[in-house]
Amino acid sequence: MIQSSLDYRIHTGPGGCRARRLTGLGTGSGVKGAGVSLQPTNPVVINGGDTSCVHLLLELRSHMRELPSGTEVHLIASDPAAPIDLPAWCHLTGHVYLGPMEGHGGTAYGLRVASSPRETEITSPWRITR
């Protein structure tokens, strides 16, 4: 089981957001206790900090499974591989890579949740399940 300590904030409008730290999320588990309705026009911000890109992708995949199609996700990541790995992973899975995003106090990348993403293996975000 992969432990998550990523910050997960759901923006509710200009200047305000509802914040919640999610911990103990495993692959395929739900967003425990979120209790909010997400609108595809409100970006979800995930702060990955200095987590390595492989672990970021595993966490990102878990979170994106629980989000409605069309939801915009902004991933804050300092790993130098992120601008290479994220577009490739989106191409592989069917999610949409939106490019670099500003306004998060760090390097952030935008993605849009696909309606029918291709699933990857539990331990490898680079291998499509058959």
Side-chain angles (χ1 to χ4, degrees):
M1 180 160 150
I2 299 164
Q3 293 295 315
S4 172
S5 60
L6 301 179
D7 291 330
Y8 188 92
R9 294 176 285 172
I10 301 166
H11 286 259
T12 58
C17 70
R18 183 178 294 168
R20 187 176 300 265
R21 177 176 290 279
L22 301 179
T23 58
L25 293 179
T27 302
S29 65
V31 177
K32 298 176 183 174
V36 295
S37 173
L38 297 175
Q39 299 298 317
T41 57
N42 296 332
V44 172
V45 177
I46 300 173
N47 186 349
D50 61 357
T51 305
S52 71
C53 216
V54 168
H55 291 104
L56 279 176
L57 291 176
L58 291 170
E59 292 291 339
L60 183 62
R61 177 187 61 195
S62 178
H63 291 304
M64 289 180 77
R65 281 183 179 149
E66 305 302 323
L67 298 172
S69 172
T71 300
E72 189 170 316
V73 175
H74 294 182
L75 175 66
I76 301 170
S78 62
D79 187 314
I84 298 165
D85 287 351
L86 288 171
W89 182 77
C90 286
H91 179 75
L92 177 75
T93 60
H95 295 296
V96 178
Y97 180 69
L98 303 173
M101 296 288 157
E102 295 183 11
H104 296 292
T107 306
Y109 306 93
L111 302 93
R112 187 171 315 282
V113 178
S115 59
S116 299
R118 289 180 290 279
E119 288 293 320
T120 58
E121 291 181 6
I122 260 182
T123 58
S124 177
W126 296 110
R127 292 192 177 112
I128 296 294
T129 57
R130 304 278 179 220

